[in-house]
Structure formats: structure tokens, C-alpha cells
Amino acid sequence: MELPRCELVSWEMVERWSDRLEELIRGADRIPGVLVGLTRGGWVPSRMLADRLGVKKLYALRAQHWGITATPDGKAELTESLHAPLQGEKVLVVDDITDTGESLALAEEHVSSLRPGRLESATFLHLTHSKFRPTYVGEEVPRERWAWFVFPWNYWEDLRVLSRQAAGSPADVSAVRETLRERCHLDVPLEDVRRALQGA
Ligand code: ADE
């Protein structure tokens, strides 16, 4: 299995994208009445936006990915519907990233069937090759800069998957750390690799 190039996302970057989205949404005078966060990736971003925009109505919609860490063609599927009173509401759907754009496109389709008065979307990161462009974007990433973005809320899961892929058997923790550094551009503490391999 090919190991992907990764970018480790810091909380500072998360704060910056949240601020940027707030600025864009306020600037457009489009404060939503309801936020819908796609879980799991959009859970933290939607909560941060709810805080910044002062939105009290926050719902989660589960978008499931049929794929594993760093397979950009992983298929998305909505396995559960949203039971929330959205009729006539100004709704903003939030996710962490649009890569293929499939999750967000599916989510918008589903949310629009609940007859909102307005429907917009926002993501922290938008890969410009995505087939779906959100209304608001924290940062655009051109195709050449494609990476697997290791968000703070997915750190251990990603590290477990990547460490397992990088490990020979028996796994040598230092060798795995070095492989992650060289092949994934992921520089993480040795202790984290050890912990990830234990939990893998
Ligand atoms: N989910 C879909 N594409 C992703 C990427 N490139 N990085 C992190 N999470 C993703």
C-alpha cells in the first residue's frame, strides 16, 4: 500500500480557518439559523462555527466513508437521515474538508429534501479538484498540494492506520517513525508511534 504524503494540522490552523469562515459568513451577512455538521469530520468545525456565529441550533448528520485513511477515491454514503426541523430555516452544512466533494454533495442533497429556506455550506479546506465547491472555504488547496490532512480530531486514528502500513513485522518503532517521516512527511514523537502501534 502506497503511503500518502501527509500534512499535520495544528489547532492554530483550525482556529485560523474558523476565524476566516466567520469573517466570510459575517461579511456576506449570511448568519445561519441552523448548523448541520457532518460527522465525524465536521463535528468539531461545526461546533467552533456555532460558537463564533452564536448559533444555538446545531445538528449532526452522519456521512460514512467507504474507504480508509488516505484513499482519496473512498466512496461516501449517507446511512442515516437527519431528523431535524429544517423547513424554512437558513441552514449551513459544515465539514472539515472537500476532497472528492462527495460527502458534502450527498449531504446537501439530503438536507435540501427537508425544505430549508436557504442552504449553504462551509469547509475548512477545499481541494480545488473537488467536484463540489462549498459556499465558504477556509483555505483552498491546489491539486499539486494534495496531502492527507491529519486533523487533531483524527490524529490517533490516522497514526494507527499509517503506522500499521509503515510497520514491518516485527514492528520496530524507530523504523516506523522514520518511514512516516520520510515517506509521509509526518514528524511525530516516538512515543506516539509506540502508542499508535499498541492500539493498532
Ligand atoms: N478526507 C477526505 N480527503 C481527505 C484528505 N485529503 N485529508 C484528510 N481527510 C480527508
Side-chain angles (χ1 to χ4, degrees):
M1 161 53 89
E2 185 81 2
L3 282 163
R5 183 162 49 89
C6 294
E7 267 193 45
L8 198 54
V9 172
S10 64
W11 282 110
E12 287 73 22
M13 288 158 87
V14 168
E15 295 279 347
R16 212 178 319 131
W17 295 324
S18 303
D19 288 345
R20 175 78 186 131
L21 288 177
E22 179 191 358
E23 189 183 297
L24 289 171
I25 293 162
R26 284 193 188 279
D29 202 13
R30 308 280 271 188
I31 307 273
V34 176
L35 287 173
V36 174
L38 299 198
T39 65
R40 294 172 296 160
W43 209 341
V44 176
S46 59
R47 183 63 187 88
M48 294 182 78
L49 274 183
D51 182 29
R52 278 168 172 71
L53 299 173
V55 174
K56 304 281 190 230
K57 295 177 188 166
L58 169 62
Y59 298 97
L61 174 60
R62 183 160 172 245
Q64 204 165 317
H65 251 281
W66 296 109
I68 49 171
T69 298
T71 54
D73 54 350
K75 282 262 174 276
E77 192 181 58
L78 290 186
T79 48
E80 289 153 39
S81 50
L82 183 64
H83 298 279
L86 297 189
Q87 197 167 353
E89 294 276 10
K90 293 174 178 144
V91 177
L92 182 71
V93 179
V94 183
D95 206 353
D96 50 2
I97 184 166
T98 28
D99 190 328
T100 64
E102 199 155 338
S103 308
L104 200 58
L106 279 172
E108 277 220 5
E109 196 182 302
H110 176 59
V111 170
S112 73
S113 75
L114 303 173
R115 309 243 165 274
R118 187 177 77 202
L119 178 54
E120 294 186 314
S121 53
T123 58
F124 280 174
L125 286 173
H126 173 63
L127 281 291
T128 51
H129 64 229
S130 165
K131 69 174 187 191
F132 184 89
R133 190 189 161 80
T135 322
Y136 308 102
V137 166
E139 185 180 340
E140 301 214 7
V141 180
R143 186 189 287 274
E144 321 78 79
R145 213 192 110 202
W146 186 91
W148 183 260
F149 290 88
V150 179
F151 295 103
W153 45 88
N154 222 59
Y155 178 77
W156 291 105
E157 184 172 313
D158 285 342
L159 205 54
R160 280 196 299 272
V161 172
L162 294 166
S163 299
R164 201 186 305 143
Q165 283 170 10
S169 58
D172 171 345
V173 179
S174 306
V176 171
R177 178 174 184 264
E178 202 47 32
T179 302
L180 293 178
R181 209 171 59 77
E182 279 175 9
R183 307 238 321 257
C184 304
H185 301 230
L186 201 56
D187 199 359
V188 293
L190 193 65
E191 191 41 46
D192 287 6
V193 178
R194 194 189 317 277
R195 212 170 128 190
L197 282 169
Q198 273 166 5

